[in-house]
Short mmCIF file of all heavy atoms in Angstrom, two decimals:
data_model
loop_
_atom_site.label_atom_id
_atom_site.label_comp_id
_atom_site.label_asym_id
_atom_site.label_seq_id
_atom_site.Cartn_x
_atom_site.Cartn_y
_atom_site.Cartn_z
N ASN A 192 -120.85 232.09 -48.58
CA ASN A 192 -121.23 230.70 -48.83
C ASN A 192 -122.74 230.57 -48.97
O ASN A 192 -123.49 231.14 -48.18
CB ASN A 192 -120.74 229.79 -47.70
CG ASN A 192 -119.22 229.67 -47.69
OD1 ASN A 192 -118.60 229.52 -48.73
ND2 ASN A 192 -118.63 229.73 -46.52
N ALA A 193 -123.16 229.81 -49.97
CA ALA A 193 -124.58 229.52 -50.17
C ALA A 193 -124.77 228.01 -50.12
O ALA A 193 -124.05 227.27 -50.78
CB ALA A 193 -125.06 230.07 -51.51
N ILE A 194 -125.75 227.58 -49.33
CA ILE A 194 -126.00 226.15 -49.17
C ILE A 194 -127.49 225.86 -49.33
O ILE A 194 -128.33 226.52 -48.72
CB ILE A 194 -125.54 225.65 -47.78
CG1 ILE A 194 -124.06 225.99 -47.55
CG2 ILE A 194 -125.75 224.14 -47.65
CD1 ILE A 194 -123.55 225.63 -46.17
N TRP A 195 -127.80 224.88 -50.19
CA TRP A 195 -129.16 224.42 -50.39
C TRP A 195 -129.33 223.08 -49.68
O TRP A 195 -128.39 222.27 -49.62
CB TRP A 195 -129.46 224.26 -51.87
CG TRP A 195 -129.50 225.51 -52.67
CD1 TRP A 195 -130.60 226.20 -53.09
CD2 TRP A 195 -128.38 226.26 -53.18
NE1 TRP A 195 -130.25 227.31 -53.82
CE2 TRP A 195 -128.88 227.37 -53.89
CE3 TRP A 195 -126.99 226.09 -53.11
CZ2 TRP A 195 -128.06 228.30 -54.52
CZ3 TRP A 195 -126.17 227.01 -53.73
CH2 TRP A 195 -126.71 228.11 -54.43
N TYR A 196 -130.54 222.81 -49.19
CA TYR A 196 -130.79 221.59 -48.43
C TYR A 196 -132.00 220.84 -48.97
O TYR A 196 -132.95 221.44 -49.50
CB TYR A 196 -131.06 221.92 -46.95
CG TYR A 196 -129.89 222.53 -46.23
CD1 TYR A 196 -129.70 223.90 -46.25
CD2 TYR A 196 -128.99 221.74 -45.52
CE1 TYR A 196 -128.63 224.49 -45.57
CE2 TYR A 196 -127.92 222.31 -44.85
CZ TYR A 196 -127.74 223.69 -44.87
OH TYR A 196 -126.68 224.26 -44.21
N TYR A 197 -131.97 219.51 -48.82
CA TYR A 197 -133.16 218.70 -49.07
C TYR A 197 -134.07 218.78 -47.84
O TYR A 197 -133.65 219.22 -46.77
CB TYR A 197 -132.76 217.24 -49.31
CG TYR A 197 -132.11 216.99 -50.65
CD1 TYR A 197 -130.73 216.80 -50.75
CD2 TYR A 197 -132.86 216.90 -51.82
CE1 TYR A 197 -130.12 216.54 -51.97
CE2 TYR A 197 -132.27 216.65 -53.05
CZ TYR A 197 -130.90 216.47 -53.11
OH TYR A 197 -130.30 216.23 -54.33
N LYS A 198 -135.27 218.30 -48.00
CA LYS A 198 -136.21 218.33 -46.88
C LYS A 198 -135.76 217.46 -45.72
O LYS A 198 -136.13 217.68 -44.57
CB LYS A 198 -137.60 217.88 -47.35
CG LYS A 198 -138.29 218.88 -48.26
CD LYS A 198 -139.67 218.40 -48.66
CE LYS A 198 -140.37 219.43 -49.55
NZ LYS A 198 -141.73 219.00 -49.95
N ASN A 199 -134.93 216.42 -46.03
CA ASN A 199 -134.46 215.54 -44.96
C ASN A 199 -133.26 216.12 -44.20
O ASN A 199 -132.74 215.49 -43.28
CB ASN A 199 -134.10 214.16 -45.51
CG ASN A 199 -132.94 214.19 -46.51
OD1 ASN A 199 -132.30 215.23 -46.72
ND2 ASN A 199 -132.67 213.06 -47.15
N GLY A 200 -132.81 217.33 -44.60
CA GLY A 200 -131.71 217.99 -43.91
C GLY A 200 -130.36 217.82 -44.56
O GLY A 200 -129.40 218.52 -44.21
N ASN A 201 -130.25 216.88 -45.52
CA ASN A 201 -128.97 216.69 -46.21
C ASN A 201 -128.70 217.85 -47.17
O ASN A 201 -129.62 218.45 -47.72
CB ASN A 201 -128.98 215.38 -47.00
CG ASN A 201 -128.89 214.16 -46.10
OD1 ASN A 201 -128.47 214.26 -44.94
ND2 ASN A 201 -129.28 213.01 -46.62
N ILE A 202 -127.43 218.13 -47.37
CA ILE A 202 -127.04 219.22 -48.28
C ILE A 202 -127.32 218.83 -49.72
O ILE A 202 -126.98 217.73 -50.16
CB ILE A 202 -125.55 219.58 -48.10
CG1 ILE A 202 -125.32 220.19 -46.71
CG2 ILE A 202 -125.10 220.57 -49.18
CD1 ILE A 202 -123.87 220.48 -46.41
N LYS A 203 -127.94 219.74 -50.46
CA LYS A 203 -128.25 219.54 -51.87
C LYS A 203 -127.17 220.14 -52.76
O LYS A 203 -126.79 219.55 -53.78
CB LYS A 203 -129.61 220.17 -52.20
CG LYS A 203 -130.12 219.90 -53.59
CD LYS A 203 -131.52 220.49 -53.76
CE LYS A 203 -132.10 220.14 -55.11
NZ LYS A 203 -133.48 220.69 -55.27
N ALA A 204 -126.67 221.31 -52.40
CA ALA A 204 -125.63 221.99 -53.18
C ALA A 204 -124.96 223.05 -52.32
O ALA A 204 -125.55 223.56 -51.37
CB ALA A 204 -126.22 222.62 -54.44
N SER A 205 -123.72 223.36 -52.68
CA SER A 205 -122.99 224.43 -51.98
C SER A 205 -122.11 225.16 -52.97
O SER A 205 -121.55 224.56 -53.89
CB SER A 205 -122.14 223.85 -50.84
OG SER A 205 -121.15 222.97 -51.34
N LEU A 206 -121.99 226.47 -52.77
CA LEU A 206 -121.19 227.30 -53.67
C LEU A 206 -120.88 228.62 -52.98
O LEU A 206 -121.68 229.11 -52.17
CB LEU A 206 -121.95 227.57 -54.97
CG LEU A 206 -121.30 228.48 -56.01
CD1 LEU A 206 -119.99 227.90 -56.50
CD2 LEU A 206 -122.24 228.69 -57.20
N PHE A 207 -119.74 229.20 -53.33
CA PHE A 207 -119.37 230.50 -52.77
C PHE A 207 -119.67 231.59 -53.80
O PHE A 207 -119.38 231.45 -54.99
CB PHE A 207 -117.87 230.53 -52.43
CG PHE A 207 -117.42 231.83 -51.85
CD1 PHE A 207 -117.62 232.13 -50.50
CD2 PHE A 207 -116.80 232.79 -52.65
CE1 PHE A 207 -117.21 233.34 -49.97
CE2 PHE A 207 -116.38 234.00 -52.12
CZ PHE A 207 -116.59 234.27 -50.77
N TYR A 208 -120.26 232.67 -53.32
CA TYR A 208 -120.55 233.85 -54.15
C TYR A 208 -119.70 235.02 -53.69
O TYR A 208 -119.56 235.25 -52.48
CB TYR A 208 -122.01 234.25 -54.06
CG TYR A 208 -122.97 233.37 -54.82
CD1 TYR A 208 -123.41 232.16 -54.30
CD2 TYR A 208 -123.44 233.75 -56.07
CE1 TYR A 208 -124.30 231.36 -54.99
CE2 TYR A 208 -124.34 232.96 -56.78
CZ TYR A 208 -124.76 231.77 -56.24
OH TYR A 208 -125.64 230.97 -56.94
N ARG A 209 -119.15 235.75 -54.63
CA ARG A 209 -118.46 236.99 -54.32
C ARG A 209 -119.24 238.14 -54.95
O ARG A 209 -119.20 238.36 -56.15
CB ARG A 209 -117.02 236.97 -54.83
CG ARG A 209 -116.22 238.22 -54.47
CD ARG A 209 -114.80 238.16 -54.98
NE ARG A 209 -114.03 237.13 -54.29
CZ ARG A 209 -113.56 236.04 -54.88
NH1 ARG A 209 -113.79 235.83 -56.17
NH2 ARG A 209 -112.88 235.15 -54.19
N MET A 210 -120.01 238.83 -54.14
CA MET A 210 -120.86 239.94 -54.59
C MET A 210 -121.68 239.56 -55.83
O MET A 210 -121.64 240.23 -56.86
CB MET A 210 -120.03 241.18 -54.84
CG MET A 210 -119.47 241.80 -53.59
SD MET A 210 -120.75 242.19 -52.33
CE MET A 210 -121.73 243.44 -53.17
N GLY A 211 -122.40 238.46 -55.70
CA GLY A 211 -123.32 238.04 -56.75
C GLY A 211 -122.74 237.13 -57.80
O GLY A 211 -123.49 236.55 -58.60
N SER A 212 -121.42 236.97 -57.84
CA SER A 212 -120.77 236.15 -58.85
C SER A 212 -120.36 234.79 -58.27
O SER A 212 -119.83 234.72 -57.16
CB SER A 212 -119.53 236.85 -59.42
OG SER A 212 -119.88 238.02 -60.11
N LYS A 213 -120.62 233.74 -59.04
CA LYS A 213 -120.24 232.40 -58.60
C LYS A 213 -118.72 232.24 -58.68
O LYS A 213 -118.12 232.51 -59.73
CB LYS A 213 -120.90 231.35 -59.49
CG LYS A 213 -122.42 231.36 -59.43
CD LYS A 213 -123.01 230.36 -60.40
CE LYS A 213 -124.53 230.39 -60.37
NZ LYS A 213 -125.14 229.47 -61.35
N ASN A 214 -118.13 231.80 -57.58
CA ASN A 214 -116.68 231.61 -57.53
C ASN A 214 -116.36 230.40 -56.66
O ASN A 214 -117.02 230.16 -55.65
CB ASN A 214 -115.97 232.84 -56.95
CG ASN A 214 -115.87 233.98 -57.94
OD1 ASN A 214 -114.96 234.04 -58.75
ND2 ASN A 214 -116.84 234.90 -57.88
N GLY A 215 -115.33 229.66 -57.07
CA GLY A 215 -114.91 228.51 -56.28
C GLY A 215 -115.51 227.21 -56.80
O GLY A 215 -115.99 227.12 -57.94
N VAL A 216 -115.49 226.19 -55.96
CA VAL A 216 -115.97 224.86 -56.34
C VAL A 216 -117.42 224.68 -55.90
O VAL A 216 -117.75 224.82 -54.73
CB VAL A 216 -115.10 223.75 -55.71
CG1 VAL A 216 -115.65 222.38 -56.08
CG2 VAL A 216 -113.66 223.88 -56.17
N MET A 217 -118.27 224.38 -56.86
CA MET A 217 -119.66 224.05 -56.56
C MET A 217 -119.80 222.54 -56.44
O MET A 217 -119.31 221.80 -57.31
CB MET A 217 -120.60 224.57 -57.64
CG MET A 217 -122.06 224.26 -57.38
SD MET A 217 -123.15 224.92 -58.67
CE MET A 217 -124.76 224.51 -57.98
N LYS A 218 -120.46 222.09 -55.39
CA LYS A 218 -120.71 220.67 -55.20
C LYS A 218 -122.20 220.44 -55.07
O LYS A 218 -122.89 221.19 -54.38
CB LYS A 218 -119.99 220.14 -53.96
CG LYS A 218 -118.47 220.15 -54.08
CD LYS A 218 -117.81 219.50 -52.86
CE LYS A 218 -116.30 219.47 -53.01
NZ LYS A 218 -115.65 218.79 -51.86
N THR A 219 -122.70 219.42 -55.76
CA THR A 219 -124.10 219.02 -55.62
C THR A 219 -124.14 217.59 -55.11
O THR A 219 -123.21 216.80 -55.34
CB THR A 219 -124.86 219.13 -56.94
OG1 THR A 219 -124.30 218.22 -57.90
CG2 THR A 219 -124.79 220.55 -57.50
N TYR A 220 -125.24 217.26 -54.42
CA TYR A 220 -125.35 215.95 -53.77
C TYR A 220 -126.70 215.32 -54.06
O TYR A 220 -127.70 216.02 -54.29
CB TYR A 220 -125.20 216.11 -52.25
CG TYR A 220 -123.88 216.69 -51.82
CD1 TYR A 220 -123.71 218.08 -51.77
CD2 TYR A 220 -122.81 215.88 -51.46
CE1 TYR A 220 -122.50 218.63 -51.38
CE2 TYR A 220 -121.60 216.43 -51.05
CZ TYR A 220 -121.45 217.81 -51.02
OH TYR A 220 -120.25 218.35 -50.63
N TYR A 221 -126.71 213.98 -54.06
CA TYR A 221 -127.97 213.26 -54.13
C TYR A 221 -128.65 213.36 -52.76
O TYR A 221 -128.02 213.69 -51.76
CB TYR A 221 -127.73 211.80 -54.50
CG TYR A 221 -127.29 211.60 -55.93
CD1 TYR A 221 -125.95 211.34 -56.24
CD2 TYR A 221 -128.20 211.66 -56.98
CE1 TYR A 221 -125.54 211.14 -57.55
CE2 TYR A 221 -127.80 211.47 -58.30
CZ TYR A 221 -126.47 211.22 -58.57
OH TYR A 221 -126.06 211.03 -59.87
N GLU A 222 -129.92 213.03 -52.74
CA GLU A 222 -130.67 213.17 -51.50
C GLU A 222 -130.15 212.25 -50.40
O GLU A 222 -130.30 212.53 -49.20
CB GLU A 222 -132.15 212.90 -51.75
CG GLU A 222 -133.06 213.37 -50.64
CD GLU A 222 -134.52 213.41 -51.03
OE1 GLU A 222 -134.84 213.07 -52.20
OE2 GLU A 222 -135.35 213.76 -50.18
N ASN A 223 -129.49 211.15 -50.79
CA ASN A 223 -128.94 210.23 -49.79
C ASN A 223 -127.60 210.71 -49.23
O ASN A 223 -127.03 210.06 -48.36
CB ASN A 223 -128.80 208.82 -50.37
CG ASN A 223 -127.79 208.75 -51.50
OD1 ASN A 223 -127.14 209.74 -51.85
ND2 ASN A 223 -127.63 207.58 -52.09
N GLY A 224 -127.10 211.84 -49.75
CA GLY A 224 -125.85 212.41 -49.24
C GLY A 224 -124.63 212.14 -50.08
O GLY A 224 -123.57 212.74 -49.86
N SER A 225 -124.72 211.25 -51.07
CA SER A 225 -123.56 210.96 -51.92
C SER A 225 -123.33 212.09 -52.92
O SER A 225 -124.27 212.76 -53.35
CB SER A 225 -123.74 209.63 -52.65
OG SER A 225 -124.89 209.66 -53.47
N LEU A 226 -122.08 212.28 -53.29
CA LEU A 226 -121.69 213.39 -54.18
C LEU A 226 -122.23 213.17 -55.59
O LEU A 226 -122.09 212.10 -56.16
CB LEU A 226 -120.16 213.50 -54.20
CG LEU A 226 -119.56 214.67 -54.96
CD1 LEU A 226 -119.97 216.00 -54.33
CD2 LEU A 226 -118.03 214.56 -54.98
N GLU A 227 -122.84 214.21 -56.15
CA GLU A 227 -123.40 214.15 -57.49
C GLU A 227 -122.50 214.82 -58.52
O GLU A 227 -122.34 214.34 -59.65
CB GLU A 227 -124.78 214.79 -57.52
CG GLU A 227 -125.45 214.75 -58.88
CD GLU A 227 -126.77 215.49 -58.92
OE1 GLU A 227 -126.96 216.42 -58.11
OE2 GLU A 227 -127.63 215.15 -59.76
N SER A 228 -121.91 215.99 -58.17
CA SER A 228 -121.07 216.70 -59.13
C SER A 228 -120.10 217.64 -58.44
O SER A 228 -120.32 218.06 -57.30
CB SER A 228 -121.93 217.50 -60.12
OG SER A 228 -122.53 218.61 -59.49
N GLU A 229 -119.04 218.00 -59.16
CA GLU A 229 -118.05 219.00 -58.73
C GLU A 229 -117.73 219.88 -59.93
O GLU A 229 -117.37 219.38 -60.99
CB GLU A 229 -116.78 218.33 -58.23
CG GLU A 229 -116.94 217.47 -56.99
CD GLU A 229 -115.66 216.74 -56.63
OE1 GLU A 229 -115.36 215.73 -57.30
OE2 GLU A 229 -114.97 217.18 -55.70
N GLN A 230 -117.88 221.18 -59.76
CA GLN A 230 -117.64 222.12 -60.86
C GLN A 230 -116.87 223.34 -60.34
O GLN A 230 -117.14 223.80 -59.23
CB GLN A 230 -118.97 222.60 -61.46
CG GLN A 230 -119.96 221.53 -61.78
CD GLN A 230 -121.37 222.08 -61.89
OE1 GLN A 230 -121.58 223.17 -62.43
NE2 GLN A 230 -122.34 221.35 -61.38
N LYS A 231 -115.96 223.85 -61.14
CA LYS A 231 -115.22 225.05 -60.78
C LYS A 231 -115.86 226.27 -61.45
O LYS A 231 -116.22 226.22 -62.62
CB LYS A 231 -113.75 224.94 -61.22
CG LYS A 231 -112.96 223.90 -60.46
CD LYS A 231 -111.52 223.88 -60.97
CE LYS A 231 -110.68 222.86 -60.23
NZ LYS A 231 -109.29 222.82 -60.75
N TRP A 232 -115.96 227.36 -60.67
CA TRP A 232 -116.55 228.59 -61.19
C TRP A 232 -115.62 229.77 -60.93
O TRP A 232 -114.95 229.83 -59.90
CB TRP A 232 -117.89 228.87 -60.50
CG TRP A 232 -118.99 227.96 -60.93
CD1 TRP A 232 -119.24 226.69 -60.47
CD2 TRP A 232 -120.00 228.23 -61.91
NE1 TRP A 232 -120.34 226.16 -61.10
CE2 TRP A 232 -120.83 227.09 -61.98
CE3 TRP A 232 -120.29 229.32 -62.71
CZ2 TRP A 232 -121.92 227.01 -62.84
CZ3 TRP A 232 -121.37 229.25 -63.57
CH2 TRP A 232 -122.17 228.10 -63.63
N ASN A 233 -115.60 230.68 -61.90
CA ASN A 233 -114.83 231.91 -61.75
C ASN A 233 -115.62 233.04 -62.40
O ASN A 233 -115.80 233.06 -63.61
CB ASN A 233 -113.45 231.78 -62.42
CG ASN A 233 -112.62 233.03 -62.28
OD1 ASN A 233 -112.48 233.58 -61.19
ND2 ASN A 233 -112.08 233.51 -63.40
N ASN A 234 -116.11 233.96 -61.56
CA ASN A 234 -116.90 235.10 -62.07
C ASN A 234 -118.04 234.65 -62.99
O ASN A 234 -118.18 235.13 -64.11
CB ASN A 234 -115.99 236.11 -62.78
CG ASN A 234 -115.06 236.80 -61.81
OD1 ASN A 234 -115.40 237.03 -60.65
ND2 ASN A 234 -113.87 237.11 -62.28
N ASN A 235 -118.82 233.71 -62.49
CA ASN A 235 -120.02 233.20 -63.18
C ASN A 235 -119.72 232.35 -64.41
O ASN A 235 -120.62 232.05 -65.20
CB ASN A 235 -120.96 234.35 -63.59
CG ASN A 235 -121.77 234.86 -62.42
OD1 ASN A 235 -122.02 234.15 -61.46
ND2 ASN A 235 -122.18 236.12 -62.48
N HIS A 236 -118.47 231.94 -64.59
CA HIS A 236 -118.11 231.05 -65.70
C HIS A 236 -117.55 229.74 -65.15
O HIS A 236 -116.71 229.75 -64.25
CB HIS A 236 -117.06 231.69 -66.61
CG HIS A 236 -117.54 232.87 -67.38
ND1 HIS A 236 -118.48 232.77 -68.38
CD2 HIS A 236 -117.22 234.18 -67.30
CE1 HIS A 236 -118.71 233.97 -68.89
NE2 HIS A 236 -117.96 234.85 -68.25
N ARG A 237 -118.02 228.63 -65.69
CA ARG A 237 -117.37 227.36 -65.38
C ARG A 237 -115.99 227.36 -66.04
O ARG A 237 -115.80 227.92 -67.11
CB ARG A 237 -118.17 226.19 -65.92
CG ARG A 237 -119.49 225.93 -65.20
CD ARG A 237 -120.13 224.68 -65.76
NE ARG A 237 -121.36 224.34 -65.09
CZ ARG A 237 -122.56 224.74 -65.48
NH1 ARG A 237 -122.66 225.51 -66.56
NH2 ARG A 237 -123.64 224.39 -64.83
N TYR A 238 -115.04 226.70 -65.40
CA TYR A 238 -113.72 226.56 -66.02
C TYR A 238 -113.06 225.29 -65.51
O TYR A 238 -113.38 224.78 -64.43
CB TYR A 238 -112.84 227.78 -65.73
CG TYR A 238 -112.23 227.79 -64.34
CD1 TYR A 238 -110.93 227.33 -64.13
CD2 TYR A 238 -112.96 228.22 -63.24
CE1 TYR A 238 -110.38 227.33 -62.86
CE2 TYR A 238 -112.41 228.23 -61.97
CZ TYR A 238 -111.12 227.78 -61.80
OH TYR A 238 -110.58 227.76 -60.54
N GLY A 239 -112.13 224.78 -66.31
CA GLY A 239 -111.39 223.59 -65.88
C GLY A 239 -112.26 222.34 -65.85
O GLY A 239 -113.22 222.19 -66.60
#
């Protein structure tokens, strides 16, 4: 799991990596904590 944070401590983005490759659901957030996006990844490719 990889997690990025804003300076205020809120999560900016989260994604799972499998040996360097993006896999699973990536979520990004606005600085206020509300959801900004949801994307599916499989071996570094968006899908669905």
Side-chain angles (χ1 to χ4, degrees):
N192 291 317
I194 304 176
W195 292 259
Y196 296 88
Y197 288 103
K198 290 182 179 180
N199 63 7
N201 288 340
I202 293 176
K203 186 176 184 179
S205 63
L206 177 61
F207 181 80
Y208 284 81
R209 183 180 293 114
M210 291 305 296
S212 295
K213 297 176 181 178
N214 283 275
V216 178
M217 180 179 185
K218 293 185 178 182
T219 64
Y220 300 86
Y221 290 103
E222 196 166 359
N223 65 2
S225 60
L226 186 63
E227 181 184 26
S228 71
E229 297 175 282
Q230 312 160 39
K231 292 180 180 179
W232 288 81
N233 180 49
N234 292 327
N235 282 334
H236 292 292
R237 290 185 178 92
Y238 78 97

